[in-house]
Amino acid sequence: MPLTAPTPDDVIQAAARLKGVAHHTPVLRSSTADRLLGAQLFFKCESLQRTGSFKFRGAFNALSQLNAEQRRHGVLAFSAGNHAQAVALAARLLDIPAVVFMPEDASTSKMAATRHYGAQVVTYDRYTTDREALSRQFAQERGMTLVPPSEHQQVIAGQGTAALELLEEVPDLDYLFVAVGGGGLLAGSVLAAQARASSCILVGVEPEAGNDAQQSLRSGQIVQIAPPHTIADGARAESLGKIVFSLLQPHVQDIVTVSDLQLLHALRFFAERMKIVVEPTGALAIAGARHGGLDIQGKRVGILISGGNVDMARYARFLAD
Ligand SMILES: *Cc1c(COP(=O)(O)O)cnc(C)c1O
């Protein structure tokens, strides 16, 4: 696994690789949201990205740089869902075999989509299995390349291209709110801001129940937590990796947290007012801007809507509650 930290230039190169492969997702506005928060909001809709989340960017960027030998042996990923789909589609586009480990309670739509893209899915118990050890052993036995969901130079660089596009379209942002799981999206966003010499303040948003990144940044060292229970299933990471931490620590203003109830309200707002389907994790950024306690009055604020993959039955319950 490459343990090199990516640079702003890696994000620019990733953008070139993704051109014509990833969607250039739209930036939506909402005057109702602006009024509610007293700010000018710019919603970067990665819920409309291929496979339904920004994760396609990092996965394709990483897989497209494997050599012929690595491609022949295939790739392996462990993921609760969005990274799984992203690796599965990127692998199919590049004609690389893929195996994905998913927790047995992962969203059925995410599991079905991962199989649909052509990956082999292997399930495990998220509360009793050391998934990293399991998949590393599997990768070693079969000579497959492990593609981590965040702690990887080219994955982080790829994720950064979403913020890069937003900063190119809206160069004078004061703030950018970004969901944090393993921290790859926020780390890539840090590099994108550097690549565009933006003075935009970066704020990470985590679920209350899983605030390991907040604890890590505030204490100055990586903090590990137990698997958190939250509806934000894309942000159940238990700790940041070293590369991610090294990028976040000096450049992220703060990490704020939001409750599951605040995420539910945001989902409803997106559906009712903006007519977009957003998954709970994808609503972290707006909930953080609204409830995170930072003074954004009158500011120009980027909101990275990170994904839109949610089982329809579950989504219907969220909206009805
Ligand atoms: C993975 C994911 C996140 C968190 O991204 P990290 O790079 O792990 O911090 C946020 N939102 C969605 C929809 C995701 O799939």
Side-chain angles (χ1 to χ4, degrees), residues 2-155:
L3 276 171
T4 319
T7 64
D9 200 49
D10 285 327
V11 179
I12 290 169
Q13 286 176 29
R17 264 177 226 118
L18 289 167
K19 206 171 160 61
V21 183
H23 293 322
H24 188 119
T25 54
V27 177
L28 297 187
R29 306 291 318 270
S30 159
S31 52
T32 309
D34 285 2
R35 225 174 313 114
L36 216 55
L37 275 76
Q40 284 174 271
L41 304 175
F42 299 86
F43 296 92
K44 176 68 171 168
C45 293
E46 286 297 299
S47 48
L48 302 176
Q49 185 50 263
R50 293 183 82 171
T51 72
S53 87
F54 70 90
K55 291 250 177 29
F56 177 70
R57 297 175 181 270
F60 188 88
N61 189 49
L63 264 59
S64 66
Q65 289 171 82
L66 296 179
N67 63 34
E69 169 87 1
Q70 289 168 320
R71 287 182 187 218
R72 202 160 42 75
H73 283 99
V75 293
L76 181 151
F78 51 92
S79 163
N82 286 342
H83 179 59
Q85 280 167 262
V87 168
L89 177 60
R92 198 192 72 196
L93 293 174
L94 294 162
D95 208 14
I96 299 172
V99 174
V100 176
F101 281 91
M102 301 185 87
E104 58 200 5
D105 61 345
S107 133
T108 53
S109 63
K110 288 179 180 180
M111 218 181 268
T114 304
R115 288 202 174 96
H116 168 81
Y117 290 128
Q120 182 194 340
V121 173
V122 180
T123 58
Y124 68 91
D125 181 338
R126 80 160 80 233
Y127 296 103
T128 59
T129 311
D130 179 348
R131 61 183 190 175
E132 296 200 34
L134 176 72
S135 53
R136 206 160 278 131
Q137 182 195 354
F138 200 90
Q140 258 164 21
E141 282 168 12
R142 303 186 190 202
M144 301 178 101
T145 301
L146 178 64
V147 186
S150 51
E151 185 69 359
H152 182 288
Q153 180 185 9
Q154 297 308 337
V155 170

Side-chain angles (χ1 to χ4, degrees), residues 53-55 82-83 149-150 159 179-186 234-235 279 281-282 306-308:
S53 87
F54 70 90
K55 291 250 177 29
N82 286 342
H83 179 59
S150 51
Q159 318 303 36
V180 178
L185 181 60
L186 183 56
E279 64 181 276
T281 316
S306 48

